[in-house]
Every structure is written in C-alpha cells, then in structure tokens.
Amino acid sequence: MNITGKTKILGIFGYPVNHTISPAMHNAVIKILGLDMVYLPFEVKPSNLQHAVNGIRGLGILGINITIPHKKAVVKFLDKISEEAKLIGAVNTIVNKDGCLIGHNTDGYGYIASLKQEIGFNPKGKNIIIIGAGGAARGILTTLAAKKPKAITIVNRTLSRAVSLARAFKSRFPDIQFKTIALNENILKTSLEDVNLLINITSVGMKKNEALKIQLEALPKTAIVSDIVYNPLETSLLKRAKKLGLMTHGGLGMLIHQGAKSFKLWTGIDAPIKVMRKAALKALKIGGGR
Ligand SMILES: NC(=O)c1ccc[n+]([C@@H]2O[C@H](COP(=O)([O-])OP(=O)(O)OC[C@H]3O[C@@H](n4cnc5c(N)ncnc54)[C@H](OP(=O)(O)O)[C@@H]3O)[C@@H](O)[C@H]2O)c1
C-alpha cells in the first residue's frame, strides 16, 4: 500500500472498535480494485463523537461507517439524513459530499440482499416472525416491510418494545398484519405453524451455550431459520434448525452486503462480494467481529 497526499480515507467509528472486521473487508476490496484509498478503524468515545464527526469535514474523510454505540447519537451531528435512515432513526454510513455530511443506513438493505443472494427468498406475501425489537430489528423491519410480506410477528423479551415497534410500523404499512408476543419458553405453537421465515435479531447466540428457547419443531418443514448473529458463523439456533432439516441463513451475508452498499455510496463502485466474504471469514478466524 502506497499512502500519499492523494490517498482517500474511509473508516469506522465505534467504541470499542478493536473487534471490527470492516477494515479487513473494505481494504481487501480497495486492494483488488487498485484504488488509492485506505479504510481505518477509529475508537471514538461517546463524549468525543461530535468532535470526531467534525473531523470528517476537517480532514476531508470520504466516508465513515458508524457502529455501536453511536448509530442513533450521530444523527444530530449530520447535515442530511436519507429517508430510510430517518425511518430507522439510526445511521451506519456517512458520506462526505464536499463537506456536507449525509447519513444513510444500509443494515436493512444488507439483510434483504443476503436473503435474496444466498437463499433466493422473496418476502412478498410471506408470514415472517422476528425475535428482537432493538436497533437492528428496526433496520431490518424497515426494508422487510417495504417488500410487502403478508404478516409480521414481533417477539421480544420486553413486550412493550415489540408493541411500540409494531404500532409504529402498522401506521406506515397498514396492509401488513402485525402481531406481538412476549419471548418466553412457551411461544405459542400456533404462531409458528404457518411461518415462512423466522429471524433472530437479538444478541442471543453470540456467547457459547446461549440459545433462544423457541420450539423450532412447531415450524413447518418448509420454513427458513435466519440468525443475524455471525460470530459464531453457525449459532446454536441454526444448528438446531439444521438438525430438524430446516433451511438456514446466517448473519455474515448481512454484514457483507451492508458494507458493499456503504462502499457503493462512497465510491459509486460495486464492491466484489466474494472478495469481501473471503476477507471477512479470514478476519473472523483470527478473532474479529464487526
Ligand atoms: N449481521 C450483521 O450485520 C448485524 C448488524 C447489526 C446487528 N447485528 C447483531 O444483532 C444483534 C442485535 O443488535 P441491536 O443493534 O438490535 O441491539 P439492541 O438494540 O441492543 O437490541 C438487542 C435485542 O436483543 C434482545 N436481547 C438481548 N439479550 C437478550 C436475552 N438474553 N434474551 C432475550 N432477548 C435478548 C433485546 O431484548 P429487550 O428489548 O428485552 O432488551 C433486544 O430485542 C447483535 O448481536 C448484533 O451484533 C448483526
């Protein structure tokens, strides 16, 4: 890599940021495409977020990814927000257009793109159950609902969060049937009977021996079980689903496709997905995360 005064800078703000595999994915793409760019991780304490955002302008940084815990907090420091990021209420990508900082959110896009590319799933007219009602659930729901599924059931440990999420989406997508259920060991079997896709959008599964207590046996044999946790690549939820003969879908594709969309927003170039995946897998093997 030959860094000069012309080298464009990309990067990620997070706290902590030492686990991120985004630099590995983006720098692999930069290298293979022969671009004069570099992608750097920046550890930004919450108290320094505004200074860091001003630094994007001050240093002429081309683009930045935003990760935990800054996705919501960064919104108020930006000049413009995309419609999708407005709906989600969080930003994971900043584009610096001649000093004007524009916030986008590519998480929901990343999830739907990986569903389509990896298992050819089209949400239109389908019955979908999501477990989780946090930031990632909101991002995925925003893109998912736009694809016109028939029904979405939101299951969450804290029921009130599921209810307020369903209420917000119901008013925007009146044609979709929304239901909410509290997450407990006895999730109604009848809620699983005609499900096409079940998605884990909680952090459960990241720790060894941690599993969602969902009676996967109640799902129809044609159902797909999806988990957005990508470290481990195969969570215990996906292992159980596989044992039952169900089709599974892991979380790495979401990470890759959201990164590819960010790259396109910054450079106008389609990032080679295969290169990103190979770099992500290599980085994960040596102990990374987003
Ligand atoms: N693949 C990707 O590219 C990608 C992208 C973004 C996020 N993620 C992953 O998605 C997960 C969720 O992220 P987020 O941003 O939505 O986090 P968040 O806003 O903090 O929400 C966390 C969600 O997990 C639930 N939860 C946490 N611990 C739980 C437990 N022990 N039992 C049951 N439910 C539990 C929470 O339920 P309560 O409401 O009851 O607290 C909430 O619904 C994280 O693991 C993150 O790494 C992956």
Side-chain angles (χ1 to χ4, degrees), residues 2-285:
N2 184 26
I3 306 250
T4 69
K6 288 192 208 150
T7 305
K8 298 268 184 262
I9 298 173
L10 300 170
I12 182 164
F13 292 174
Y15 187 75
V17 82
N18 56 356
H19 61 295
T20 179
I21 64 171
S22 292
M25 293 196 314
H26 287 281
N27 285 321
V29 169
I30 287 168
K31 190 174 169 194
I32 208 130
L33 297 179
L35 301 173
D36 190 7
M37 291 179 183
V38 62
Y39 184 108
L40 301 168
F42 296 97
E43 183 166 273
V44 176
K45 286 188 179 154
S47 56
N48 281 332
L49 183 60
Q50 186 168 9
H51 298 304
V53 172
N54 285 334
I56 301 173
R57 294 188 189 90
L59 299 171
I61 291 174
L62 184 62
I64 283 289
N65 276 139
I66 300 291
T67 188
I68 291 170
H70 303 312
K71 286 185 183 184
K72 273 188 184 170
V74 79
V75 171
K76 58 180 173 295
F77 303 131
L78 304 178
D79 302 310
K80 281 188 193 162
I81 307 290
S82 75
E83 278 314 307
E84 189 161 31
K86 258 186 221 162
L87 289 175
I88 298 168
V91 158
N92 80 334
T93 304
I94 299 173
V95 177
N96 182 359
K97 214 163 181 2
D98 306 321
C100 175
L101 301 188
I102 308 162
H104 297 264
N105 195 313
T106 67
D107 280 337
Y109 164 85
Y111 180 75
I112 300 293
S114 96
L115 260 188
K116 190 175 169 200
Q117 200 213 29
E118 289 169 31
I119 56 172
F121 185 83
N122 179 358
K124 192 170 181 189
K126 302 291 194 321
N127 187 2
I128 297 168
I129 192 157
I130 73 164
I131 304 157
R138 209 179 168 90
I140 289 176
L141 267 179
T142 302
T143 320
L144 200 57
K147 301 282 176 197
K148 303 188 171 152
K150 183 173 132 208
I152 299 179
T153 303
I154 307 173
V155 180
N156 198 44
R157 178 177 62 178
T158 311
L159 182 61
S160 56
R161 282 184 93 186
V163 171
S164 61
L165 199 55
R167 202 171 287 145
F169 276 81
K170 181 76 203 161
S171 62
R172 290 210 307 265
F173 300 95
D175 295 338
I176 301 174
Q177 301 160 27
F178 284 93
K179 243 177 41 179
T180 53
I181 305 180
L183 176 64
N184 63 44
E185 291 186 29
N186 301 313
I187 274 203
L188 295 177
K189 276 192 179 171
T190 49
S191 307
L192 299 177
E193 265 165 10
D194 58 351
V195 163
N196 302 108
L197 172 69
L198 178 146
I199 320 167
N200 174 38
I201 319 184
T202 74
S203 46
V204 180
M206 294 177 80
K207 294 187 200 137
K208 237 185 169 181
N209 301 326
E210 187 188 42
L212 280 174
K213 296 189 176 88
I214 302 273
Q215 294 163 330
L216 296 179
E217 295 77 8
L219 287 169
K221 286 290 170 216
T222 50
I224 296 161
V225 176
S226 171
D227 199 328
I228 73 156
V229 171
Y230 60 85
N231 193 6
L233 286 171
E234 191 173 61
T235 58
S236 57
L237 181 78
L238 295 188
K239 280 188 182 139
R240 275 204 295 135
K242 238 184 196 172
K243 265 193 189 156
L244 291 167
L246 301 171
M247 189 188 269
T248 59
H249 170 251
L252 188 63
M254 171 177 175
L255 181 75
I256 291 165
H257 283 276
Q258 63 78 30
K261 179 81 185 269
S262 299
F263 194 80
K264 175 101 182 183
L265 286 166
W266 296 323
T267 64
I269 298 171
D270 288 313
I273 298 296
K274 273 190 188 162
V275 172
M276 276 196 152
R277 182 177 295 277
K278 195 171 163 200
L281 285 170
K282 189 172 166 204
L284 277 174
K285 275 193 191 131

